[in-house]
Amino acid sequence: MKLLKTASLSVAALALATSVSSADTLDTIKSKGTLSCGVSTGIAGFSATDSSGAWKGLDVDMCKAVASAVFGDASKVKYVPLTAKERFTALQSGEIDMLSRSTTWTNTRDTSLGLNFAGVNYYDGQGFLVSKSIGVKSALELDGATVCIQAGTTTELNLTDYFKANKMTYKPITYDTSGQTIEGFKSGRCDVVTSDASQLYG
């Protein structure tokens, strides 16, 4: 496999989001006795379960840190795996108390979702992963490619912008989860997969 990175795609920031009514949210969390924390459905290094079923990774550690601050006990967390499509609805509906998963902080999301981004905890860029066998050395050589991509992400929007700006065409194959997207690529359903560069290394 070969990773192609392109600087013209926007840098993604992983952000922690909490509901707008912070005092009410904190009171609700305390009354429940546990923190419901939205995480990804499995991204190595960020939020994934190990062989014993325990959640591990940077996003998981953020959930533990908040639980420790609220309860004095980092174990008082209920992890709720969410796809990109599900994450904001789960936070808005109160299914989760906070979201700690790969989520690009955009102006549109900041102003239209009724949520507060608490801060950036990771900066990333977008890349393309291709098989060495197709002989591509640059993302500019992907005209006409079939691209596996996760639906409901800024990655999807960036892909459209990149191909349009470079007067290229592509055929998208969309999936609900990062794992499904990578498996689609591995099984040969597409020529290339695009995502956060950190996810492509996993």
Side-chain angles (χ1 to χ4, degrees):
M1 302 295 170
K2 184 173 187 178
L3 179 65
L4 305 172
K5 288 191 267 186
T6 175
S8 63
L9 292 177
S10 67
V11 173
L14 300 181
L16 170 71
T18 58
S19 69
V20 173
S21 181
S22 298
D24 291 344
T25 300
L26 185 58
D27 290 342
T28 300
I29 294 167
K30 285 180 176 178
S31 68
K32 289 190 309 182
T34 58
L35 172 72
S36 295
C37 194
V39 294
S40 76
T41 54
I43 298 174
F46 293 91
S47 53
T49 53
D50 63 16
S51 58
S52 67
W55 283 94
K56 303 282 185 185
L58 178 65
D59 297 338
V60 171
D61 289 344
M62 181 65 77
C63 299
K64 289 179 180 179
V66 172
S68 184
V70 173
F71 301 110
D73 185 348
S75 69
K76 292 196 171 187
V77 181
K78 175 188 173 189
Y79 299 101
V80 182
L82 299 165
T83 67
K85 285 183 179 179
E86 298 167 332
R87 60 189 163 177
F88 297 125
T89 304
L91 189 55
Q92 290 165 326
S93 69
E95 177 187 349
I96 58 172
D97 303 312
M98 68 175 273
L99 178 65
S100 181
R101 74 175 304 284
S102 55
T103 300
T104 304
W105 190 349
T106 67
N107 187 52
T108 301
R109 288 175 175 173
D110 204 24
T111 58
S112 66
L113 295 175
L115 306 171
N116 287 330
F117 282 80
V120 175
N121 68 348
Y122 190 86
Y123 286 92
D124 207 343
Q126 187 169 335
F128 295 96
L129 185 65
V130 299
S131 173
K132 285 183 179 179
S133 64
I134 67 170
V136 171
K137 292 184 171 49
S138 165
L140 293 171
E141 298 173 35
L142 294 174
D143 190 21
T146 303
V147 183
C148 287
I149 188 162
Q150 187 176 355
T153 62
T154 52
T155 305
E156 200 173 15
L157 302 175
N158 293 341
L159 179 66
T160 300
D161 291 345
Y162 181 78
F163 273 76
K164 184 177 179 181
N166 289 287
K167 298 178 174 51
M168 299 189 303
T169 62
Y170 70 98
K171 179 183 175 187
I173 306 288
T174 58
Y175 295 91
D176 288 332
T177 70
S178 177
Q180 290 170 348
T181 307
I182 297 297
E183 285 306 311
F185 171 68
K186 287 180 178 177
S187 68
R189 292 218 45 218
C190 54
D191 303 311
V192 58
V193 60
T194 186
S195 188
D196 295 344
S198 59
Q199 293 179 31
L200 297 176
Y201 284 113

